[in-house]
Amino acid sequence: SQTIHQWPATLVQPVGSPLSLECTVEGTSNPNLYWYRQAAGRGLQLLFYSVGIGQISSEVPQNLSASRPQDRQFILSSKKLLLSDSGFYLCAWSTRLLGQGFSTEAFFGQGTRLTVV
Amino acid sequence: DAKTTQPNSMESNEEEPVHLPCNHSTISGTDYIHWYRQLPSQGPEYVIHGLTSNVNNRMASLAIAEDRKSSTLILHRATLRDAAVYYCILGGFGNEKLTFGTGTRLTIIP
């Protein structure tokens, strides 16, 4: 069965420090991968999505970046965190039908609660 | 991108049916309608999806309007565990972004 791992669960970082959040998926190949952020009491904001290795689409201009060095690994990074980067970060994957731009249901990780102080 | 519109909040009594509406007037012919729900402090959970015909699964039913410009998620018998934020989103061929809106916060009254 497919599983998604996201870590760490919680993180407290000072302003200006770097960030690296990692997400890995098991039990599937060539998934679509997504990073979302949810500020307190707000909806889910799509940050990045990827349809293949090295293919990253950015949805919101910001000081965050994403990379997909392997098929089932998705990394969210920042060189210098801002207070506004605080939030609940979620990684998700979905099945991608080869040769078609179609995405079935998405499966989410347990999330990382980031507090920038 | 086609967008969806949902009420901010709804309340329902326990053990009664719940109808959660969603408007998507700019839906394209290849967009599927997806529903997710998010419990507090958790990631969203897939509920159901459909294209044109009504769909049923163990969690809920999805009723899709004939012109596909709106849909309704139906919880047949609400329980306290159904209290969550419910999201209606569009995705499908050529639209893989899975963009969430603000959703509907469903409160179940015991």
Side-chain angles (χ1 to χ4, degrees), chain B residues 45-76:
Chain B
E45 171 189 35
Y46 166 81
V47 177
I48 200 168
H49 77 281
L51 184 63
T52 56
S53 302
N54 294 344
V55 183
N56 299 296
N57 67 20
R58 64 175 181 82
M59 292 181 69
S61 295
L62 176 60
I64 301 172
E66 192 170 340
D67 63 6
R68 298 202 340 119
K69 293 184 177 181
S70 65
S71 61
T72 302
L73 180 70
I74 303 167
L75 308 179
H76 294 287

Side-chain angles (χ1 to χ4, degrees), chain A residues 104-108, chain B residues 20 33-39 43-50 55-62 72-76 81-82 84-89 100:
Chain A
T104 62
E105 63 266 30
F107 301 92
F108 285 78
Chain B
L20 296 163
I33 302 155
H34 302 248
W35 283 83
Y36 290 78
R37 71 179 186 182
Q38 185 177 21
L39 302 173
E45 171 189 35
Y46 166 81
V47 177
I48 200 168
H49 77 281
V55 183
N56 299 296
N57 67 20
R58 64 175 181 82
M59 292 181 69
S61 295
L62 176 60
T72 302
L73 180 70
I74 303 167
L75 308 179
H76 294 287
R81 290 177 297 177
D82 291 322
V85 178
Y86 286 78
Y87 297 95
C88 165
I89 64 174
F100 286 72

